[in-house]
Amino acid sequence: MISSKLTTKAQTTIPQAVRLALHLQPGDEIVYRIEQGRVVLTKAAPAADDPFVTFSEWASDADARAYADL
């Protein structure tokens, strides 16, 4: 079982095992679905209206630093 704690601001860190299983990256959206008293956490589907969402090869930290001043 994987667990995490809730802060006083109702925040939590998604454990690494869950991030790896869902292939979560910084900036990804997640979806919470309540089913019969349980919460199901999934990675949100990319927004279809963002034409650049498919260009993940340009989403590294190095790219963000290189293009930050543009």
Side-chain angles (χ1 to χ4, degrees):
M1 178 179 287
I2 302 169
S3 65
S4 64
K5 290 186 179 184
L6 195 64
T7 70
T8 56
K9 294 184 178 186
Q11 298 173 333
T12 188
T13 299
I14 300 172
Q16 182 180 14
V18 175
R19 294 191 315 263
L20 291 173
L22 295 178
H23 306 286
L24 293 173
Q25 298 295 322
D28 285 346
E29 289 189 32
I30 53 177
V31 176
Y32 300 90
R33 189 173 61 247
I34 300 172
E35 295 179 353
Q36 299 175 354
R38 294 178 182 225
V39 176
V40 178
L41 174 82
T42 56
K43 182 176 180 178
D49 59 344
D50 183 357
F52 298 103
V53 75
T54 59
F55 297 114
S56 62
E57 66 269 18
W58 295 323
S60 71
D61 290 336
D63 290 321
R65 287 189 302 276
Y67 298 111
D69 294 330
L70 295 180

